Amino acid sequence: MMKPTLLILAAGMASRYGSMKQVDGFGPSGETIIDYSIYDAIKAGFGKVGFIIREEFAESFKAIFEPKLNGVVETDYIFQSYDLTPFGINKEIERSKPWGTGHAVLCARNQVHEPFCVINADDYYGYDAFEKMAKFLTSEAADDKYSLIGYQISNTLSDYGSVSRGVCNVKDGFMTEINERTEVYFKGDGVVYKENGEEHELTTDTRVSMNFWGFTPAVFAQSEPIFKRFVEQNENNPKAEFFIPLIADELIKTGQASFKVIPTSSKWFGVTYKEDKPIVQKSISKLVEEGVYPQNLW
């Protein structure tokens, strides 16, 4: 049986963090958040790790991860650039940031030939999520059946203010649509989101996407025309980004693929700002104290 591949989205600019948070140390032995994802993925049965990065990050990533992972798991490096000619788009479009997560996945089309999942570099997902995704990719995934890990919304919110979340509408275990809610927060014992100045309640077990998706390589051919159309529509908008949910929404609406929402009880946490670092360090220290992870992962 072919082992699935883990793709890690790490080409972002980290502008709000102020430095390369993808390789910042958070664990007791200087582990990055990526280290914990890779550790859980290997334990769950993934056979390869692909880092989607900008080419200028390559030496930094290799210096940090190769000494740890050499002989442990196969690694690969996929470069996300501004060059659109590989997609048959012969235009130079000025950009200050990459084209987004959906484009990042497309950049892997010549290097990934097995079922795979996609995660963010700066998010902690928990072993339960990797175990369930590995099971899906090895036993259920098909060219018209993909998946995403659905986190319980109350396990993803901050005690320090509102956040944006992709709220999933789910029917019979499959996503019917995903809506970006830009102001989601705790209110008393419940959860609300604000839209046009009005608060709307969400149940605490509402499922949200934290960008943990499962695909087969068929998604590359399915999503390339969607990306080309997006570029045509947004060539004069330098901030427009082609996100994975745009692909999912199109494939669902056109009937090309369904997306199973795999529920997880894992608690998610991530880092956006420098101020998040001590909170993440504390969360990881607690997991180490509880015996979830060793003091030194590698």
Side-chain angles (χ1 to χ4, degrees), residues 58 67 77 88 99 137 143 161-162 175 184 197 199 231 235 241 243 248:
Y77 295 85
W99 276 97
L137 292 174
D143 293 350
S162 65
M175 184 170 70
V184 186
E199 288 184 338
V231 171
E235 60 180 289
E241 290 189 67
F243 294 120

Side-chain angles (χ1 to χ4, degrees), residues 26-291:
F26 294 88
S29 300
E31 292 90 350
T32 65
I33 293 179
I34 293 173
D35 280 311
Y36 290 95
S37 292
I38 295 172
Y39 182 90
D40 284 339
I42 294 170
K43 184 179 174 184
F46 284 79
K48 185 169 74 172
V49 176
F51 297 95
I52 303 180
I53 57 176
R54 288 185 290 150
E55 192 167 2
E56 58 264 36
F57 290 177
E59 293 310 311
S60 297
F61 267 74
K62 288 179 181 179
I64 290 169
F65 292 105
E66 288 306 313
K68 305 171 185 177
L69 302 179
N70 188 26
V72 177
V73 69
E74 184 183 347
T75 56
D76 197 8
Y77 295 85
I78 296 140
F79 300 140
Q80 184 179 16
S81 74
Y82 301 107
D83 182 14
L84 297 174
T85 54
F87 302 99
I89 303 171
N90 297 310
K91 292 180 180 178
E92 284 192 22
I93 299 174
E94 283 197 26
R95 301 270 306 175
S96 59
K97 61 196 305 186
W99 276 97
T101 56
H103 173 249
V105 171
L106 267 174
C107 290
R109 69 199 188 287
N110 295 325
Q111 291 168 255
V112 175
H113 309 287
E114 58 282 320
F116 66 95
C117 78
V118 184
I119 64 167
N120 291 335
D122 50 1
D123 290 346
Y124 172 84
Y125 292 100
Y127 175 70
D128 181 68
F130 287 96
E131 182 182 40
K132 288 177 176 174
M133 180 59 79
K135 184 178 179 182
F136 172 84
L137 292 174
T138 54
S139 63
E140 287 188 63
D143 293 350
D144 61 352
K145 185 180 181 183
Y146 301 142
S147 68
L148 73 155
I149 298 292
Y151 281 79
Q152 189 172 313
I153 195 167
S154 57
N155 282 339
T156 74
L157 300 186
S158 170
D159 293 325
Y160 302 97
S162 65
V163 296
S164 294
R165 290 290 176 261
V167 178
C168 302
N169 286 357
V170 183
K171 183 179 180 181
D172 299 327
F174 286 81
M175 184 170 70
T176 56
E177 63 178 350
I178 183 168
N179 294 299
E180 186 71 15
R181 304 302 185 192
T182 55
E183 284 188 75
V184 186
Y185 48 92
F186 285 118
K187 185 173 184 180
D189 295 329
V191 175
V192 299
Y193 72 89
K194 187 178 284 188
E195 189 172 57
N196 299 324
E198 291 187 15
E199 288 184 338
H200 304 267
E201 286 188 23
L202 291 168
T203 60
T204 53
D205 63 349
T206 293
R207 296 292 156 177
V208 295
S209 166
M210 303 309 297
N211 226 31
F212 194 143
W213 302 84
F215 297 106
T216 73
V219 75
F220 300 131
Q222 292 166 338
S223 56
E224 188 166 332
I226 306 172
F227 175 61
K228 288 180 178 178
R229 193 163 64 245
F230 180 87
V231 171
E232 288 173 9
Q233 294 168 349
N234 292 278
E235 60 180 289
N236 297 317
N237 182 359
K239 293 185 177 180
E241 290 189 67
F242 183 62
F243 294 120
I244 295 172
L246 294 175
I247 298 172
D249 189 56
E250 176 88 2
L251 296 183
I252 290 169
K253 286 179 177 174
T254 58
Q256 293 181 72
S258 60
F259 283 78
K260 183 178 181 179
V261 180
I262 303 171
T264 180
S265 57
S266 287
K267 184 171 175 58
W268 169 96
F269 54 83
V271 57
T272 302
Y273 304 99
K274 276 286 187 190
E275 292 77 12
D276 294 325
K277 184 170 182 176
I279 301 165
V280 171
Q281 288 175 314
K282 186 177 179 181
S283 297
I284 290 175
S285 292
K286 186 180 178 186
L287 290 167
V288 172
E289 288 167 12
E290 293 171 349

